[in-house]
Every structure is written in C-alpha cells, then in structure tokens.
Amino acid sequence: MATIYIDNTPFEVPTGKNLLETCLTLGQDVPYFCWHPAMGSIGACRQCAVKVYKDENDTKGKLFMSCMEQVRDGMRISIVDPEAKEFRAHIIGWLMTNHPHDCAVCDEGGSCHLQDMTVMTGHNYRSYTFDKRTYKNQYLGPFLNHEMNRCIQCYRCVRYYKDYAGGKDLDVFAAHNHLYFGRAEDGVLESEFSGNLAEVCPTGVFTDKTLKQHYTRKWDLTMAPSVCHHCSLGCNISAGERYGTLRNITNRYNGEVNGYFLCDRGRFGYEHVNSVSRIRKSLVRSNLPEATDKYTALQAAAQAMRQGRVIGIGSARASLESNYMLKTLVGEDNFHHGVSDAEHDLIELSLKILKESSARTPSMREVEKADAVFILGEDLTNTAPMLALAVRQAVRQEPLLEQVSKANIPVWQDAAVRELVQSDTGPLFMAIPTITKLDELATQTYFADPDAIARLGFAVANIIYPESPGVRGLKNEDMHLAQQIADALMKAKNPVIISGTSAGSEAILKAAANIANALVAKEKTAGIVFTLPTSNSMGLAMLGGHRLQSAFEAIENGYADTVIILENDLYRQAGEGTVTNFLKSCKKVIVLDYLHNQTTEHADVLLAAGAFSEADGTLINNEGRAQRFYQVHPTIEDIQESWRWLGELGTIVAHDQISWWHGYDDILSAIVKEHPEMEGIKMVTPPSDFRIAGQKIPRAPHRFSGRTAMRANINVSEPKPTEDPDSPLSYTMEGYRGQPPSAMIPFFWAPGWNSNQAVNKYQEEVGGHLKGGDPGIRLIEPDPEHKVSFSVAVPEKFEPMDGHLFILPLHHIFGSEELSNQSPPIQERIPEPYIAVNTDDALRMKLDEGQLMPFAIDGQLYQLPVKLSTTIASGTAGLPVGLPGVPFAELPAWAILNRELQWKPQHQTTY
C-alpha cells in the first residue's frame, strides 16, 4: 500500500495501479477517453491531465497524464489545479473541433461519455467557427451503425476490436487529423464481439443499429437486471423496454462472469421477444385453434388434467422455478427433461464430474488469468463465445509474467506491453474436430475425430499422473504431443482444462476430468470448465428428471395420455417422425411457450408464457452459478410467467402443495426444502419485500419522461403504476436513488456519469468486483475430502465404415441457438445449410464444393451442399446443428450414403 495526497487529502491506495484508475476508484472525477479498464493505457487523448508535485514544498508542479503515471508512495497531485483544469478544457476543445453539433439526433445523446466529459471539463461554448472535416460512413452489417464524423480519435475501437477481441477487419487509416476508423471497404464486421464497439466508443461513431430502428432515448427506457439466455455462460445484461417493446440489450457488469463485454448473439438476439411469431393470446383448440381469455384457457387445461393421466416435459431454456413448478404439478415420477437423450446423458455426466472432481470450475474472470489452457472438443467461439474471449486474454498471461514483469513495465501500459510481447502467446493446446477462430493463437492444434481427441486427453492425464489409465496403440507423434501438453500444464501455475457437450462425446468429458484430477493429484491449482448446450441446462440437471424417450414410452405404453410441455420445441430434441407420433398419440397436449413453433401447432391448449423480459426466474450457468433475471416491464394479463400459469393451474386442480404457495418467494423456499444443495438460490437477490429506506428500486432513471403522454390517446389522467409483487423493483422512476444491491442494478448511472462508464462508481475498485460482491451464488464447489478418481473408459481408435460417414455436430454462433434465430439482425448472419466433408473423402466420392450430397441418419433423409474441409477427419463429416432447414439428428451418428456414390474409405484417420 502507498499513501498519496490528492489536493492535500491523504489516501491509502494499492501500489502498481496507474493514477487515473486510482483516482476513479477513490471516487474522484477525472475526465478521460482513450483509457479503458479492460484495455489499459496508451495516452492518446491527453484528457486526464493532473498536476503532479515533487513533494510538499513544490508549489509549481508539472502536468502529467494520469493514465500514464504509476502510483508511488508519497505522491502529491492536484485535480482541481487551475492549470490542469485549463489544460483539460483546451484538450476537449481541440477534440470537439470537428465533432458535429448533432446531440439532438445522435443515438448516443443523453448517455454519451463525450457529453459527460465535456460538461465535466467546463467546455460550454465552442470557439471553432470554420468548416468541419467530414467523412463517408460505411455499412458495417446488421448490428452497428457507423457515423465517422463524430470521431474524436481516441483509438478505443481498434484497440478493443483488434488487440482485445482479435478482429482483423477493422483498422485505423490515414494520419494526423484525418484518421479514419473502419473497414478497408464496406462490409459486415466479422468479429462475433463487434457489438461491444457501441459501448466501448465514447461518442456516437458506433451505435446499436437495432436500437436506432426503434429510436428511443436511453433515459426513456424501463430497464431491469437480467441474464442472457443464449448460451450456458450466464452473462449479465440490462434489458431496456419502451411502449411494451424490448428495445436493446446492454452489458451489465459482473466482475466474475462477463466483465465489460457481451457477444453479438447475446446483445442482438433479443429481437425474438418482438417477433411476429410471439404468442400473444392463449389458444384452445376445438376444430380450429381459437384465441381465448386467460380464465377459459386455464379451465380447459385443468379439465384435461382431471380427465387424463399427466406427464410433464421441462425445458433447459425455462427458469428453475418454472421447471420445478411443472415437476411438482405432475409429480417427480412423471417429470421429464425436454432434451435429447444424448444431451441428457452428457449434461448429467458433466454435473457428476463437477460435483466429484477435485478441480474447481473457474469463473470467466479466472480463466482470463490462466497461464496454460487445453481445450478438448469445443469450438468456443460458436458454443460459448465469451469464454473464447476469455481464452484470448489468457494466452497473454505467460508473456506478461515472463517478459513484461522482468522489463519492469506495468501491465496497464498497453502500448509498451504489446510492443514488447508482439505476437508471443502462452501455452494453448486445442484438440478439436475442425478449424476454429482460436486456432491462430494455439501453440498446437490437433484435428481429429472425438475418439482420437479423448484418447489424446487420456494420454495427457496418464503422463501427468501414471495412476490414471494409459492409452494403447497411440501413434508416436500423438504421444509426443501429449507429452508436450502435459509438460506445459505442469509448468503452469494456473492451468485450465476446457471441454463441453457440443462434440457429443462422453469420452471427451471423462478425458478432460482425468487431466484436471491428475493435475490436482500433483498438487497443482487446476481448473476445469464444461460448456453446456442451453442457458439452464445445469439447473435442469440439478432439479432431476427422466429422459425424453421415457416420456414418449409413457404415452405409447398407455401409462399416461396427457402431456404438459414447458417452453420447448420437441422437434429440436428428437426426430420429426418420433415427435409427431408422440403428439398425435396424446389425448391432450398442453403447451406453455412464447414463440410459435412446430410443437405449439399440436397444442390443444396453448398458454401464452412470458419471454425472459416478461418474467422473473433463476438460471444456473455452466459453473453452477445461480443468477436471477427480472421482469423488465408489466405485461397484459394474457401473458405471464410459466411458473405462474402452472401455479394457477395447480390451484384450480387443488394440488396439495401448490395451493399453499402465494408468490415467488414461496416457490424458492419450496425448491430449497426439496433440494438443500440449492439453498444458495434464496441468497442470489433480496426477497420480494426488501426495501431501502422504505422504498423500492426504480426500473426507470429519474430522467424518464412521458409516462402520461404514453397514454394520452387513452386518457390524459395518469393511471396508478403497476405494482410488482415478486421483486423489490418498481416499474416507475420513483424509488430509492442510491446504489441498490449488486444483483439488482437495473442500469449504471451517477451524477455527471450518464454513460455506461458510470460503472466505475459501483465497483470496489475500477475493473474489480462490484460493491457488495458480484451477482450470483455458486452452488457447486469441489469437495476437498473427496478422493481423486479417474475414468478408465478409454475409447478404441475410430475406424471408418464402408458406405458410411460418422456425422459430427458443428455449431454456429448465429444459427445454432433457438431463440436468437428469431431475431432479424441475427437471421442476416445465419449461414446456409451444408455438410462439411474431408477433401480426400470428397475426391473419392467424386463430390465438388457446393454439390448436393444425399445421406440418411436414423431414417431421416438429407440432401445438403458440400463444403470441403482439410481438417475434419477422414471417415467423418460435419453437420451444422440447429440451422433453419436442417432437420434434427441426434449427433454424432453414422450416416448411410446414397448407394449410387461408390467410394472406399481409407482405414486410417487423417489428422
């Protein structure tokens, strides 16, 4: 620790930080532009100048850029010194020379960091009266709008896009006062993290195009803390609504999960809530489906339950509360996980490993600090994008420790650090079926079939800890690679093993667990991370339930005749023929969902469920972190949470337990009572009756306007605002104006800080944890008393089959996930269906790129254009999962080729 003096006031601060970061942590208001807590300092904008004095006797001092000056004991500075204030005012004047006077029409207006800093420096009037420099704007795709005339040349965009996120197609061009930040030519930004430019940019150069289409001032949004539903990582988001329409998603800082950023699927996939496919009214089907009121729909569902034997099918995209309510309503023996059987087994295995493993699952922030990473079977950019971004930061750890620290360069000196390190990276090994965007960073990439990947993993574990089972028949080059990986993991201080379910291989999961356990047995602090298919896959597994196939058999065998399906399109979980036969065999089909799909077309009773922005609930992410999402805005009576529909249905049929539950908190208490291991869910957020100084927490900022005008076409008298019985949040701007508990922050705002940069006022230290702790409670931790154990299920070497291809699942960030597929901006980025075939196999089969290839999986016929691959193993092929137009197949699986295509595979896999 060091003592510094700011305007003659002493402060105890940690050493090693830069002065700007330290001042902000202390609550001081120092203007800045180019600095960003996730990206460090480059000293480009010169806006953060302060006066630094030699000692207490120095009365003159010198101007220093605070972002470039390291804290040292006894340092004396002044922020309010007249010369420093005048310098900052001149700088902002120069930066604003060519900035247009368009705040009134700029999408960033009112939430703009440039506006905040301009006011903070006292730059009230512009003295520049000449022509302004102008630029041609570019088309950058469906996510971002480009307005280069607003640029102040802070370099944040290229530093984030190129240096932090690894993008290649956005750069800075020209020189001096004519810098241009954009692409070499118009075109869609290729990075999966491009949307963060809208928050990284301190002005309105890059703005959210989806918000622009709605055109709403950010201060007029009703907002609530939420959790992204588009993958298993559980990134924290703030969802904004206006006039009953969801308008945008912004990052909600969580120091342990997503930090300052989101992936593009999480940021722009929200438009499914506004989709024309939304279910706005409940339906009851007689001869034709007819829209009906809430009461009639409930009575129809209740009558179906009374007259039949009922089973329930849950959902990995539904909240913990909704799944539990369905499980309680139908009974534990009649509750089935609404996922494919293969997925069910993989998730159950993942949960078992995490519970029994000696290695802990690190958070994404901890993954960023890993100094060696081994990825088995996962294309992270497409299955868990923000984890891929964390890995990009992790590969810098070894060079930072080995080179930068020895050169005595502070890690926040970004330009100097990158100049020293250049392209050096730490150990990153990848064993995957085909190419990924992380390959460019990898020390070595091993392209192979799932069994070969697992065998390599088992070999690595055996080398680290010989009591782990060995692998017979491994080639010399594979054994050499295993030795290289094992050496790198053993040398590292914080090695992390990453795997997941997307390859569809239990052997890969077991191999990853063996490696992590071997490292722990060698007294290494190792971490293991599993990615899962859906936002609440972990929560559904922890809740317990039966396979989907057993639900089909219950109807087929006459054990039950009525089914309740919760937020689940079964046609994405099983074959079309199987699902159709199942639904037609049911006496009654009751469906709760918010999007029309193939399953809802078979519903006898369809209840209009609330989407994530219209519901309260809990999700449990891949690391076992329980997090709460809140309803953003009140809905019409016809739409409500699935757990509320099921609760009212249980009350009508006089269910013994459900009839006694009167609100959200009662459901949480019931879950904890039945599942003691989930006790932490009650501590995720305060209870519904929580108040601060007797007040609720407002969802709308106090600048919110037009509440009366919004209803002027109905009544000019202001109605009583809707009350929220399930949370301490109000639907208005009235309420407590201070900082709420971290898990309940709807938006970041502080006096003088109207942009998202206000988050520094909510942090214990800038870039660190939120005050009061980051949102979420971890429910899974390793048992230190548990004896290290190893799986012995080493697979045999993969052998191709004549006339067949082993079809592997391939994933796409845009297209493979169900909900975001309904968002128009995402739809523009979804690739066309294809089948990826090894180039040698295609040559033997006489197939060219783009040629249609017929094949069949489990009786389902496919005919897809060929995409040639030099990396996918011979005898295998890759089929995209979830793409529109690609029927469901439980992968991996053998495909039968059209017999007219005669070919003879080589009986040796090419790696």
Side-chain angles (χ1 to χ4, degrees), residues 15 60 125 196 203-204 336 361 365 380 401 420 427 451 457 547 674 690 853 885 887 898:
T15 56
K60 187 175 181 180
Y125 297 96
N196 292 306
T203 74
H336 306 264
T361 297
R365 173 60 65 90
L380 293 182
L401 294 171
L420 176 63
D451 287 344
R547 287 179 173 81
E674 189 172 332
F690 175 79
M853 185 181 106
N898 188 314

Side-chain angles (χ1 to χ4, degrees), residues 768-785:
H769 302 292
L770 291 172
K771 294 175 181 176
D774 293 307
I777 300 291
R778 283 180 59 115
L779 305 180
I780 302 174
E781 293 288 356
D783 182 2
E785 303 300 323

Side-chain angles (χ1 to χ4, degrees), residues 877-895:
L879 180 66
V881 172
L883 293 193
V886 180
F888 172 85
E890 195 165 77
L891 302 178
W894 285 101

Side-chain angles (χ1 to χ4, degrees), residues 423-485:
S423 59
D424 292 350
T425 58
L428 169 61
F429 294 92
M430 302 180 64
I432 46 181
T434 189
I435 57 173
T436 77
K437 282 200 170 184
L438 288 178
D439 297 350
E440 62 183 5
L441 301 174
T443 307
Q444 190 159 341
T445 303
Y446 179 77
F447 297 112
D449 61 84
D451 287 344
I453 292 171
R455 286 165 61 83
L456 177 68
F458 278 107
V460 171
N462 175 256
I463 292 171
I464 294 172
Y465 195 71
E467 292 185 24
S468 176
V471 181
R472 295 176 300 176
L474 205 64
K475 293 188 295 186
N476 290 335
E477 55 265 38
D478 294 347
M479 185 57 74
H480 176 74
L481 175 59
Q483 183 70 56
Q484 185 183 356
I485 296 171

Side-chain angles (χ1 to χ4, degrees), residues 357-373:
S357 175
S358 304
R360 181 177 183 271
T361 297
S363 67
M364 278 196 283
R365 173 60 65 90
E366 291 169 327
V367 170
E368 290 181 0
K369 303 301 180 184
D371 52 353
V373 178

